[in-house]
Amino acid sequence: MAKDIDWANLGFGFSEVNCHVQAVWKDGAWGKLELVEKPYITMHIGASCLHYGQECFEGMKAFRQKDGKVAIFRPEENARRMIRTAIRTVMPPVPEEMFVEAAEMAVRENAEFVPPYGTGGSLYMRPLLIGTGPQIGVAPAKEYTFLMMVMPVGAYYKGGLKPVRAVILDDWDRAAPHGMGDVKVGGNYAASLFAHEKAKREGWPVELYLDAKEHKYIEEFSTSNFLGITKDGVYVTPDSHSVLPSITNMSLRQVAEDLGIKVEVRKIPYEEVRELAEVAALGTAVVITPVWEITRGSEVIKISDPEKVSDTLLKLYHTVQGIQYGEIPDTHGWCHTVEV
Ligand SMILES: *Cc1c(COP(=O)(O)O)cnc(C)c1O
């Protein structure tokens, strides 16, 4: 029950809420969005998501704002990205309006689980699209399930951004040059788990990937985009077909421009990392994770002070969070308010 939650000590993990939203696609059309209380689904043991990885997901957040309203951050962008992923994995796309309606329903029915303003928490929203029809010959399934599950999560940083160390493990790649790196499929996570666990065991919380073809250019971290700030104060982020187009990165690029920071989306050779003033990992869960050191084989590159976050990263972080919590004017219309 929401009233029993200790908001100040909430982590990032699954917890039960009132319900999730679900719809089924069959006979060529999406059925109605429905509320489902139990956090389980029943599916055929031949379901294509189980056998052939026909599945994709999204991640976004709803925030309790300063004036008490509840707003989802840019759900239309997640809807569009899920449409691109669905097309790439030959699943029926969930129309943008239907996706946003599902998000609104999930927030409205679970409004009591949106952490109070000031706790630094949010309602994490996880849309999922899976092939649930049986398919043993390799082909797209004939039935799909779309669902929107939500859970309250706590402030990732309790007391300021905390820089981490990263590692490049050249023995493993995350995504092939013309593979699925640019869409949000679970398979990309399965592909990176082994290296991720190894990195973690050996003391690095995040791994950074180079392009799979040449191992020459920076791509992204296993679950977040790469941001570099040059010594001249330019925001640089890799241009690559196998990087997932992060909505956090997209938003931060706009915020950077608004703040008068120059933005460059271009190839970043590995060697250039030695010259960068700041590096950070970008994604919905944490927004910005500063990276103070990068290790590759015997080379250890110290980027920045492990104890101190630069003013540029702090300004970017506080601006995006300020917009999300309704403390700063939302000049780009990113907050999608839900009547609760
Ligand atoms: C989800 C994801 C991100 C972050 O995207 P956001 O839209 O900012 O949350 C970055 N990289 C990968 C590989 C991802 O799966």
Side-chain angles (χ1 to χ4, degrees):
M1 293 249 280
K3 66 173 173 42
D4 300 327
I5 296 175
D6 176 8
W7 301 110
N9 293 305
L10 203 56
F12 189 88
F14 179 79
S15 62
E16 268 188 42
V17 294
N18 294 333
C19 60
H20 66 273
V21 178
Q22 191 169 314
V24 172
W25 185 93
K26 62 180 171 197
D27 303 325
W30 280 109
K32 235 172 88 241
L33 290 168
E34 291 181 35
L35 300 173
V36 181
E37 280 182 24
K38 289 214 160 51
Y40 298 98
I41 57 173
T42 302
M43 71 175 102
H44 197 284
I45 57 171
S48 71
C49 67
L50 301 176
H51 296 259
Y52 302 129
Q54 230 191 351
E55 85 86 40
C56 71
F57 68 99
E58 276 298 329
M60 57 194 196
K61 281 178 167 179
F63 298 85
R64 178 79 60 175
Q65 300 189 315
K66 200 175 170 187
D67 62 3
K69 287 189 180 141
V70 174
I72 310 172
F73 190 68
R74 309 190 78 177
E76 304 82 6
E77 291 298 334
N78 294 86
R80 287 173 207 153
R81 190 167 67 187
M82 189 177 241
I83 289 170
R84 294 197 299 271
T85 311
I87 291 169
R88 178 69 175 82
T89 47
V90 200
M91 296 196 276
V94 175
E96 186 178 320
E97 312 73 59
M98 178 178 163
F99 180 102
V100 173
E101 191 190 336
E104 289 177 353
M105 279 170 78
V107 168
R108 215 178 293 125
E109 296 299 323
N110 295 293
E112 69 203 86
F113 292 96
V114 183
Y117 173 74
T119 60
S122 55
L123 188 74
Y124 183 67
M125 312 184 68
R126 171 56 64 87
L128 185 73
L129 173 60
I130 52 179
T132 39
Q135 195 62 48
I136 296 303
V138 178
K142 293 184 181 67
E143 187 187 306
Y144 294 84
T145 301
F146 166 63
L147 62 85
M148 180 82 65
M149 58 190 272
V150 302
M151 66 212 75
V153 296
Y156 196 86
Y157 296 111
K158 307 195 172 27
L161 304 192
K162 183 98 193 61
V164 301
R165 303 161 71 220
V167 66
I168 295 172
L169 297 170
D170 279 288
D171 287 348
W172 295 276
D173 292 319
R174 187 191 78 91
H178 299 281
M180 302 232 272
D182 61 341
V183 291
K184 208 165 176 76
V185 294
N188 289 340
Y189 284 67
S192 67
L193 262 183
F194 186 86
H196 181 68
E197 287 303 298
K198 180 180 162 66
K200 215 164 66 181
R201 267 196 314 276
E202 296 175 8
W204 292 283
V206 290
E207 333 86 82
L208 177 59
Y209 287 93
L210 302 178
D211 74 286
K213 190 174 176 191
E214 300 181 277
H215 279 214
K216 237 172 110 172
Y217 300 99
I218 301 292
E219 291 242 298
E220 66 172 318
F221 298 95
S222 51
T223 62
S224 44
N225 272 190
F226 180 94
L227 158 66
I229 305 286
T230 67
K231 295 224 161 73
D232 300 330
V234 179
Y235 180 123
V236 290
T237 192
D239 180 20
S240 161
H241 289 303
S242 41
V243 162
L244 197 273
S246 150
I247 294 158
T248 310
N249 191 358
M250 188 198 295
S251 308
L252 285 166
R253 289 200 301 270
Q254 182 64 58
V255 165
E257 280 175 6
D258 295 347
L259 293 170
I261 297 168
K262 194 170 167 223
V263 174
E264 288 175 2
V265 182
R266 58 165 169 83
K267 287 198 177 307
I268 303 174
Y270 166 71
E271 286 71 32
E272 192 180 334
V273 168
R274 299 185 194 119
E275 310 299 322
L276 292 174
E278 309 288 331
V279 167
L282 313 177
T284 294
V286 197
V287 186
I288 291 182
T289 305
V291 173
W292 70 273
E293 183 196 85
I294 296 174
T295 297
R296 182 186 189 191
S298 57
E299 183 175 32
V300 180
I301 304 173
K302 182 171 185 281
I303 311 268
S304 50
D305 187 338
E307 305 297 335
K308 197 180 166 299
V309 180
S310 79
D311 291 343
T312 311
L313 290 184
L314 282 178
K315 214 186 299 170
L316 289 169
Y317 177 73
H318 289 306
T319 306
V320 164
Q321 286 260 283
I323 294 169
Q324 290 173 329
Y325 285 113
E327 298 156 346
I328 293 178
D330 176 24
T331 56
H332 298 287
W334 289 342
C335 296
H336 183 97
T337 306
V338 181
E339 296 300 330
V340 295

